[in-house]
Amino acid sequence: MEPTYRRIAAVYRDKIASGELAPGVRLPTEHEIAEEFGVVRQTVRSGLGVLVAEGLIVARRPHGYFVREWERMLYRPQEKSRPMPSRSTMDRFSQQISDEGRVPSMHIEVALVQAAPDLAERLRVDVGTAVVIRRRVRFINGEPVNINDSHFPLDLVKDSEIMSPAYIPRGTDEVLAGLGHRQERAVDEIFVRMPTPDEIRRLGLGPGTPVALHYDTGYTADDRPVQCTVNVLPGDRHRIVFERRWRADEPLS
């Protein structure tokens, strides 16, 4: 027979999935749920703890448990290859969020780090080679929404504005182009996993929140990788959309 705490979790999981309990709604109190199932409050806490770990509810003591709510960001990886926004004071993220009537902001840090195996492979450098990282946490209405960390070979950018933690409205792609390293193509890779402790800290993630990891590696016309951006996208804060088009003269296969 299924343990009662798992039955409690299943009942409230179904209520959330069906929309009976909408985002932001407070669940019944531990005492009320205990009476409903004829159990002690510790059993209720164990059941609700399952839902907290799954990322479906959050505990806001002393007020109780609430269905998790996030206004998701529409994330389109293909947008990076399209023209920059018309407003020279804003990058793509800032213009998108501003156009939605929300307030964008970001925190930027610049550092030299040793290339870990994943970055060394994509930038075609030896593991441990010093690379430049522009660490960015992006915010919507003051809440952290994602991580956008860009990595560059040191010899390419050491004398450029990429080395400054200042905001670059025209974007690092244009800076690289001005340095003679215009990107002609990019490779996108997406993985899904649980967050690292550093990602949990930077994004203020609750228990049970998976993240999508988007590697965006840009190449010049002579096939040299000049930038690898690692985007960390919490699953409860994003909707990832890819758009594909077919040419009229190409057969569908």
Side-chain angles (χ1 to χ4, degrees), residues 145-167:
V145 63
N146 62 44
I147 288 171
N148 176 253
D149 289 348
S150 296
H151 307 79
F152 310 86
L154 177 59
D155 61 312
L156 296 189
V157 302
K158 61 183 179 181
D159 297 320
S160 75
E161 60 193 293
I162 285 175
M163 300 298 296
S164 168
Y167 175 52

Side-chain angles (χ1 to χ4, degrees), residues 126-137:
D126 293 332
V127 173
T129 298
V131 296
V132 177
I133 178 173
R134 284 180 64 86
R135 291 192 178 100
R136 297 198 300 177
V137 177

